[in-house]
């Protein structure tokens, strides 16, 4: 199978379902969900022989029995959406979520299961220069190959086309409403057998998304209606729609198109990048939203009778059943609403001027909510299963570090880091071009020492901070030649008069990551372009205070470019994704002291430090290190 064959072999993964806006929506989990409609007995798989080979790997036909429920089998559908070129997360946060090696291990340990990807797999949606696009292409191809090995079925979104339409030639991405793509790049629908159940899959692209010229996208509702009919004719017993639609559009789709068991939404929903915690029941279908970048997979577990239906093409219907955690949330929501009504009722009873009719109405509302709280707190037994009916559970699964990793995928990820680093370095022939002497350039901590009488103390303080060891974390993780990471772990990276991968690599080869500054190695003293310049590994003074060559040359004449950096400067790297515990004042307490803002440190007074915030978050996440 080619790496791109994964397009027609889906993998379900994370998109977070948005929390309910009301109690009624939360309780909608108790509603019934119908599966696919009646289909003919023909069991045609649209992908041909390659698909059949992959299905044998992905569909463990034994199923996974639920503990204490010998008379049922389970099938797990894992959904992901918008991986956005992210095999693994940045490791700097207190609890990094994501990692395809952990997702692979989860899927392979889940019995009869299938991975379904709603698209946006290959590239991020942010601008990239040519160098970064090269690195991104390597990661995109790795993701394709990994999804193919897992037997994933993958939909299509515009981010998958950023490298050009030819990258998808022969890919067989699942999409039911597009034209204008290379021959063999797409398939309209596919039937996969998982645990004895025939699962019909269709893909729906968003016509309003930013598609490249030449790609036409038709009406999703019309395409879905036609695809459902074709899938019925192919014997599909349940039908799932992978979509690049926003959630509001997906809701409308499910109201208009009968016969769907489930759908995935979230494409373009910027407020849903972390997924939606609770599923929704729309008509007879379950709507799921996994998180971006593989942080949380949406898992739909279908509970069925122990043997397939007597007639393989007969539909199977499902009723959505809340998980224990979801039942608890429902009870908490009902109790909170009851508390609000009871407070209002108590105030009304004290108010002699309150209208009796309004008081009675409020009393009735309180009584209703008390009954609702009692029902919500009563454990809900799962429905009985039969040959033609079952029940489903749906939840987000955070892909945490506590999950095991698939050894083979992890090994390939390590090799990918080396491959990317070597390719990145080979594409650079020397250091950044030097700046004219009248313009400020970077000198590094070695160049700063001696510029002012207090700098020795300042340098010692800096060495005690995480800034002073930021480069080593990249070396230890094998990311010191990755464009994804280096910019926030080095000084003046890709800036005029600063550093680049070539200079940083020369320093790394010459000295250990934590070695003190020293003169850089030279291949030829008569070739200025071969000189690595100052050691700009780690987050040094000039990251916050600006390039310091002019200040060092004449401190009294040229002040420090940025004498008192603001929070905005920190936020260039301390983003929510990369530094989830960042608080400006707390983090300042870590980096101010002797020789470096000692008076300001006194002004800040006692309070939490960045180190304390990180440590608390790491302890909560069950980790022992990392974080910024």
């Amino acid at each position: 199978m080619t790496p791109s064959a994964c397009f027609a072999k889906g993998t379900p993964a994370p998109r977070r379902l948005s929390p309910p806006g009301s109690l009624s929506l939360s309780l909608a989990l108790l509603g019934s969900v119908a599966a696919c409609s009646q289909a003919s007995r023909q069991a045609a798989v649209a992908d041909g022989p390659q698909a059949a080979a992959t299905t044998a790997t992905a569909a463990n036909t034994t199923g996974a029995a639920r503990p204490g429920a010998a008379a049922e089998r389970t099938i797990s559908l894992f959904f992901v959406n918008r991986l956005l070129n992210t095999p693994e997360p940045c490791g700097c946060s207190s609890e990094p979520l994501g990692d395809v090696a952990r997702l692979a291990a989860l899927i392979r340990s889940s019995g009869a299961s299938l991975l379904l990807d709603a698209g946006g797999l290959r590239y991020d949606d942010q601008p990239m220069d040519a160098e970064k696009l090269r690195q991104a292409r390597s990661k995109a191809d790795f993701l394709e190959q990994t999804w193919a090995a897992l037997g994933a079925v993958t939909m299509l979104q515009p981010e998958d086309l950023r490298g050009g339409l030819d990258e998808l030639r022969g890919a067989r991405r699942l999409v039911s409403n597009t034209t204008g793509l290379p021959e063999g790049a797409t398939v309209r629908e596919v039937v996969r057998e998982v645990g004895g159940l025939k699962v019909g899959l269709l893909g729906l692209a968003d016509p309003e998304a930013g598609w490249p010229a030449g790609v036409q996208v038709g009406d999703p509702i019309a395409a879905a209606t036609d695809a459902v009919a074709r899938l019925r004719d192919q014997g599909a017993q349940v039908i799932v729609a992978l979509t690049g639609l926003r959630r509001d559009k997906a809701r409308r789709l499910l109201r208009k198109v009968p016969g769907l068991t489930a759908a995935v939404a979230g494409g373009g929903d910027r407020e849903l990048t972390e997924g939606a915690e609770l599923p929704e029941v729309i008509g007879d279908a379950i709507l799921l939203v996994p998180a971006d970048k593989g942080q949380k997979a949406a898992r739909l577990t279908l509970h069925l009778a122990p043997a397939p239906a007597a007639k393989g093409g007969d539909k199977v219907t499902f009723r959505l059943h809340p998980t224990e955690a979801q039942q608890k949330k429902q009870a908490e929501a009902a109790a909170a609403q009851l508390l609000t009504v009871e407070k209002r009722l108590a105030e009304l009873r004290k108010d002699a001027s309150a209208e009796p009719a309004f008081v009675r109405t409020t009393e009735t509302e309180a009584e209703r909510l008390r009954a609702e709280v009692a029902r919500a707190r009563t454990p809900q037994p799962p429905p009985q299963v039969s040959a033609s009916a079952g029940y489903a559970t749906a939840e987000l699964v955070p892909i945490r570090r506590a999950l095991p990793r698939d050894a083979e995928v992890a090994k390939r990820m390590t090799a990918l880091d080396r491959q990317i680093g070597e390719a990145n370095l080979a594409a650079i022939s020397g250091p950044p071009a030097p700046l004219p002497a009248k313009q400020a350039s970077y000198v590094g901590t070695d160049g700063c020492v001696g510029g002012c009488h207090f700098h020795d103390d300042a340098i010692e303080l800096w060495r005690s901070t995480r800034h002073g060891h930021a480069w080593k974390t990249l070396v230890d993780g094998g990311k010191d030649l990755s464009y994804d990471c280096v910019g926030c772990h080095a000084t003046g990276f890709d800036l005029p008069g600063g550093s680049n991968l070539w200079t940083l690599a020369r320093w790394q080869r010459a000295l250990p990551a934590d070695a003190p500054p020293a003169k850089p190695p030279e291949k030829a003293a008569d070739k200025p372009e071969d000189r690595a310049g100052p050691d700009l590994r780690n987050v040094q003074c000039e990251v916050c205070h600006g390039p310091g060559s002019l200040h060092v040359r004449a401190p009294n004449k040229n002040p420090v470019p940025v004498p008192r950096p603001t929070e905005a400067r920190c936020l260039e790297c301390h983003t929510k994704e990369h530094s989830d515990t960042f608080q400006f004042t707390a983090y300042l307490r870590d980096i101010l002291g002797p020789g470096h803002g000692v008076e300001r440190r006194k002004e800040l007074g006692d309070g939490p430090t960045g180190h304390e915030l990180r440590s608390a978050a790491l302890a909560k996440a069950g980790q022992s290190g990392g974080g910024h």
Side-chain angles (χ1 to χ4, degrees), residues 122-147:
R122 291 188 62 84
Y123 294 108
D124 197 348
D125 53 4
Q126 300 301 311
M128 287 185 292
D129 57 29
E131 290 178 339
K132 294 182 180 179
L133 184 59
R134 185 188 311 111
Q135 171 176 308
R137 172 69 185 273
S138 296
K139 292 196 296 178
D141 291 344
F142 167 82
L143 288 170
E144 296 279 10
Q145 294 159 10
T146 303
W147 267 207

Short mmCIF file of all heavy atoms in Angstrom, two decimals, residues 122-147:
data_model
loop_
_atom_site.label_atom_id
_atom_site.label_comp_id
_atom_site.label_asym_id
_atom_site.label_seq_id
_atom_site.Cartn_x
_atom_site.Cartn_y
_atom_site.Cartn_z
N ARG A 122 -2.21 17.00 6.70
CA ARG A 122 -0.86 17.18 6.19
C ARG A 122 -0.15 18.47 6.63
O ARG A 122 1.03 18.43 6.96
CB ARG A 122 -0.88 17.13 4.65
CG ARG A 122 -1.20 15.76 4.09
CD ARG A 122 -1.01 15.73 2.59
NE ARG A 122 0.35 16.00 2.17
CZ ARG A 122 1.32 15.07 2.12
NH1 ARG A 122 1.06 13.83 2.47
NH2 ARG A 122 2.53 15.39 1.72
N TYR A 123 -0.86 19.60 6.63
CA TYR A 123 -0.16 20.86 6.88
C TYR A 123 -0.92 21.74 7.86
O TYR A 123 -2.14 21.64 8.01
CB TYR A 123 0.04 21.63 5.57
CG TYR A 123 0.97 20.94 4.59
CD1 TYR A 123 0.48 20.33 3.44
CD2 TYR A 123 2.33 20.87 4.85
CE1 TYR A 123 1.33 19.68 2.56
CE2 TYR A 123 3.19 20.23 3.97
CZ TYR A 123 2.69 19.63 2.83
OH TYR A 123 3.53 18.99 1.96
N ASP A 124 -0.17 22.64 8.49
CA ASP A 124 -0.77 23.67 9.32
C ASP A 124 -1.42 24.70 8.39
O ASP A 124 -1.17 24.72 7.19
CB ASP A 124 0.31 24.33 10.17
CG ASP A 124 -0.25 25.11 11.35
OD1 ASP A 124 -1.47 25.33 11.37
OD2 ASP A 124 0.53 25.51 12.22
N ASP A 125 -2.25 25.56 8.98
CA ASP A 125 -2.90 26.58 8.16
C ASP A 125 -2.20 27.93 8.27
O ASP A 125 -2.73 28.94 7.81
CB ASP A 125 -4.38 26.72 8.56
CG ASP A 125 -4.55 26.95 10.06
OD1 ASP A 125 -3.53 27.08 10.77
OD2 ASP A 125 -5.70 26.99 10.51
N GLN A 126 -0.99 27.94 8.86
CA GLN A 126 -0.24 29.18 8.99
C GLN A 126 0.77 29.32 7.84
O GLN A 126 1.24 28.32 7.28
CB GLN A 126 0.50 29.22 10.33
CG GLN A 126 -0.42 29.14 11.54
CD GLN A 126 -1.43 30.26 11.56
OE1 GLN A 126 -1.08 31.42 11.40
NE2 GLN A 126 -2.70 29.91 11.76
N PRO A 127 1.15 30.56 7.48
CA PRO A 127 2.12 30.76 6.40
C PRO A 127 3.46 30.09 6.73
O PRO A 127 3.88 30.05 7.89
CB PRO A 127 2.28 32.28 6.34
CG PRO A 127 1.04 32.83 6.97
CD PRO A 127 0.64 31.85 8.02
N MET A 128 4.12 29.54 5.71
CA MET A 128 5.41 28.90 5.88
C MET A 128 6.34 29.29 4.74
O MET A 128 5.91 29.36 3.59
CB MET A 128 5.27 27.37 5.89
CG MET A 128 4.64 26.79 7.14
SD MET A 128 4.65 24.97 7.10
CE MET A 128 3.47 24.67 5.78
N ASP A 129 7.62 29.55 5.09
CA ASP A 129 8.58 29.80 4.02
C ASP A 129 9.04 28.46 3.46
O ASP A 129 8.67 27.38 3.94
CB ASP A 129 9.75 30.64 4.51
CG ASP A 129 10.48 30.00 5.68
OD1 ASP A 129 10.48 28.76 5.79
OD2 ASP A 129 11.04 30.75 6.51
N ALA A 130 9.88 28.51 2.44
CA ALA A 130 10.28 27.29 1.73
C ALA A 130 11.00 26.31 2.64
O ALA A 130 10.81 25.09 2.54
CB ALA A 130 11.17 27.66 0.54
N GLU A 131 11.87 26.83 3.54
CA GLU A 131 12.62 25.94 4.42
C GLU A 131 11.68 25.16 5.33
O GLU A 131 11.82 23.95 5.53
CB GLU A 131 13.63 26.74 5.24
CG GLU A 131 14.78 27.29 4.40
CD GLU A 131 15.72 28.12 5.24
OE1 GLU A 131 15.29 28.59 6.32
OE2 GLU A 131 16.88 28.29 4.84
N LYS A 132 10.72 25.85 5.92
CA LYS A 132 9.80 25.18 6.83
C LYS A 132 8.84 24.26 6.08
O LYS A 132 8.41 23.24 6.62
CB LYS A 132 9.06 26.22 7.66
CG LYS A 132 9.97 26.99 8.60
CD LYS A 132 9.22 27.99 9.46
CE LYS A 132 10.18 28.73 10.37
NZ LYS A 132 9.49 29.73 11.22
N LEU A 133 8.51 24.60 4.85
CA LEU A 133 7.63 23.75 4.06
C LEU A 133 8.31 22.42 3.78
O LEU A 133 7.67 21.36 3.78
CB LEU A 133 7.25 24.44 2.76
CG LEU A 133 6.24 23.69 1.87
CD1 LEU A 133 4.94 23.46 2.61
CD2 LEU A 133 6.00 24.47 0.58
N ARG A 134 9.63 22.44 3.58
CA ARG A 134 10.37 21.20 3.35
C ARG A 134 10.25 20.28 4.56
O ARG A 134 10.01 19.09 4.45
CB ARG A 134 11.83 21.52 3.06
CG ARG A 134 12.68 20.31 2.69
CD ARG A 134 14.15 20.66 2.60
NE ARG A 134 14.41 21.84 1.80
CZ ARG A 134 14.84 23.00 2.30
NH1 ARG A 134 15.02 23.15 3.59
NH2 ARG A 134 15.06 24.02 1.50
N GLN A 135 10.44 20.86 5.74
CA GLN A 135 10.31 20.07 6.97
C GLN A 135 8.89 19.56 7.14
O GLN A 135 8.66 18.40 7.51
CB GLN A 135 10.71 20.93 8.18
CG GLN A 135 10.42 20.29 9.52
CD GLN A 135 10.92 21.13 10.69
OE1 GLN A 135 12.08 21.53 10.73
NE2 GLN A 135 10.05 21.39 11.65
N ALA A 136 7.92 20.43 6.85
CA ALA A 136 6.52 20.04 7.00
C ALA A 136 6.16 18.90 6.04
O ALA A 136 5.37 18.02 6.39
CB ALA A 136 5.61 21.25 6.76
N ARG A 137 6.74 18.90 4.85
CA ARG A 137 6.46 17.82 3.89
C ARG A 137 6.93 16.47 4.44
O ARG A 137 6.23 15.46 4.31
CB ARG A 137 7.15 18.13 2.55
CG ARG A 137 7.11 16.98 1.54
CD ARG A 137 5.70 16.76 1.02
NE ARG A 137 5.63 15.59 0.14
CZ ARG A 137 5.86 15.61 -1.17
NH1 ARG A 137 6.20 16.75 -1.77
NH2 ARG A 137 5.76 14.53 -1.89
N SER A 138 8.08 16.46 5.10
CA SER A 138 8.57 15.22 5.69
C SER A 138 7.62 14.71 6.76
O SER A 138 7.32 13.51 6.84
CB SER A 138 9.97 15.43 6.29
OG SER A 138 10.91 15.76 5.29
N LYS A 139 7.11 15.62 7.58
CA LYS A 139 6.18 15.21 8.64
C LYS A 139 4.85 14.76 8.04
O LYS A 139 4.22 13.80 8.53
CB LYS A 139 5.97 16.36 9.63
CG LYS A 139 7.20 16.68 10.45
CD LYS A 139 6.86 17.53 11.66
CE LYS A 139 6.33 18.89 11.28
NZ LYS A 139 5.96 19.70 12.45
N ALA A 140 4.40 15.46 7.00
CA ALA A 140 3.14 15.09 6.35
C ALA A 140 3.21 13.68 5.78
O ALA A 140 2.29 12.87 5.94
CB ALA A 140 2.80 16.10 5.26
N ASP A 141 4.33 13.36 5.12
CA ASP A 141 4.47 12.02 4.55
C ASP A 141 4.54 10.97 5.65
O ASP A 141 4.02 9.86 5.50
CB ASP A 141 5.72 11.96 3.67
CG ASP A 141 5.59 12.77 2.40
OD1 ASP A 141 4.44 13.13 2.05
OD2 ASP A 141 6.61 13.06 1.76
N PHE A 142 5.18 11.31 6.77
CA PHE A 142 5.23 10.38 7.90
C PHE A 142 3.82 10.10 8.43
O PHE A 142 3.47 8.95 8.71
CB PHE A 142 6.10 10.96 9.02
CG PHE A 142 5.95 10.24 10.33
CD1 PHE A 142 6.65 9.06 10.56
CD2 PHE A 142 5.11 10.72 11.31
CE1 PHE A 142 6.50 8.38 11.76
CE2 PHE A 142 4.96 10.05 12.52
CZ PHE A 142 5.66 8.87 12.75
N LEU A 143 3.02 11.14 8.56
CA LEU A 143 1.65 10.95 9.04
C LEU A 143 0.85 10.08 8.08
O LEU A 143 0.09 9.20 8.50
CB LEU A 143 0.97 12.31 9.23
CG LEU A 143 1.46 13.13 10.41
CD1 LEU A 143 0.88 14.55 10.35
CD2 LEU A 143 1.10 12.48 11.74
N GLU A 144 1.02 10.32 6.78
CA GLU A 144 0.32 9.51 5.79
C GLU A 144 0.70 8.03 5.96
O GLU A 144 -0.16 7.14 5.94
CB GLU A 144 0.70 9.96 4.38
CG GLU A 144 0.28 11.37 4.03
CD GLU A 144 -1.17 11.48 3.61
OE1 GLU A 144 -1.92 10.49 3.78
OE2 GLU A 144 -1.55 12.53 3.10
N GLN A 145 1.98 7.75 6.09
CA GLN A 145 2.45 6.38 6.21
C GLN A 145 1.94 5.73 7.49
O GLN A 145 1.56 4.55 7.49
CB GLN A 145 3.97 6.36 6.16
CG GLN A 145 4.55 6.81 4.83
CD GLN A 145 5.99 7.26 4.93
OE1 GLN A 145 6.64 7.09 5.96
NE2 GLN A 145 6.50 7.86 3.86
N THR A 146 1.92 6.50 8.57
CA THR A 146 1.45 5.97 9.85
C THR A 146 -0.03 5.65 9.78
O THR A 146 -0.49 4.60 10.25
CB THR A 146 1.73 6.96 10.98
OG1 THR A 146 3.14 7.24 11.02
CG2 THR A 146 1.30 6.41 12.33
N TRP A 147 -0.82 6.56 9.21
CA TRP A 147 -2.25 6.33 9.06
C TRP A 147 -2.51 5.11 8.17
O TRP A 147 -3.42 4.32 8.42
CB TRP A 147 -2.92 7.56 8.48
CG TRP A 147 -3.48 8.55 9.45
CD1 TRP A 147 -4.52 9.41 9.19
CD2 TRP A 147 -3.10 8.82 10.80
NE1 TRP A 147 -4.78 10.18 10.31
CE2 TRP A 147 -3.93 9.84 11.31
CE3 TRP A 147 -2.12 8.30 11.65
CZ2 TRP A 147 -3.82 10.34 12.60
CZ3 TRP A 147 -2.00 8.79 12.94
CH2 TRP A 147 -2.84 9.79 13.39
#
